[in-house]
Amino acid sequence: MAMLKQPMIEKLLSMRLHGMVEALKTQEQDPAVRDLSFLERLGLLVDHPRRSPRGDVSEEYPDNLPNPKILLMAQVREEPLYVACAFDGRYAYIVTVHRYDPDRWIDPWTRK
């Protein structure tokens, strides 16, 4: 299983499914998940990015200069809201905040 896990994680990351990777890591640490069926665990992975009330990292820019940056998305009043944040190692800075634009996004989690 360990041999299959890393290529699967790399494939999920290449597909920009960071939320699914985080959900998979969380599942591996939760003993209660072991009793779930394959389809139940898969459902948790697929639903994870859309079910988080705190928001999710939609995109990561680790090589952004002068500081690494991420794009967070959360549902606010049933509407996607995006916040780009940069980190200098000590502080987080809000770079931009914007609303969902259907001309730029396939859905709230997938950029065109």
Side-chain angles (χ1 to χ4, degrees):
M1 172 78 171
M3 295 295 285
L4 295 175
K5 188 175 105 176
Q6 190 58 37
M8 179 177 58
I9 288 174
E10 289 172 10
K11 181 66 174 177
L12 290 171
L13 291 173
S14 74
M15 296 168 63
R16 303 174 100 180
L17 297 173
H18 302 281
M20 284 185 80
V21 172
E22 290 305 313
L24 179 61
K25 290 177 183 177
T26 300
Q27 281 188 10
E28 289 178 334
Q29 297 173 358
D30 185 351
V33 173
R34 292 184 192 129
D35 296 332
L36 299 176
S37 72
F38 170 78
L39 289 177
E40 289 169 322
R41 287 187 71 177
L42 181 61
L44 289 174
L45 291 174
V46 170
D47 287 346
H48 173 69
R50 292 180 168 97
R51 295 190 330 163
S52 175
R54 71 190 184 315
D56 289 291
V57 176
S58 296
E59 298 175 354
E60 297 179 65
Y61 307 96
D63 299 325
N64 187 70
L65 295 175
N67 300 306
K69 187 170 80 169
I70 61 170
L71 180 66
L72 300 166
M73 189 283 292
Q75 295 285 343
V76 177
R77 296 186 187 138
E78 299 183 24
E79 180 182 351
L81 183 69
Y82 301 90
V83 179
C85 298
F87 302 94
D88 67 4
R90 185 170 177 186
Y91 296 103
Y93 301 92
I94 295 176
V95 178
T96 61
V97 176
H98 56 92
R99 295 175 192 254
Y100 174 74
D101 180 352
D103 293 332
R104 293 182 170 199
W105 297 85
I106 294 170
D107 58 45
W109 299 270
T110 312
R111 189 184 292 268
K112 287 184 178 178

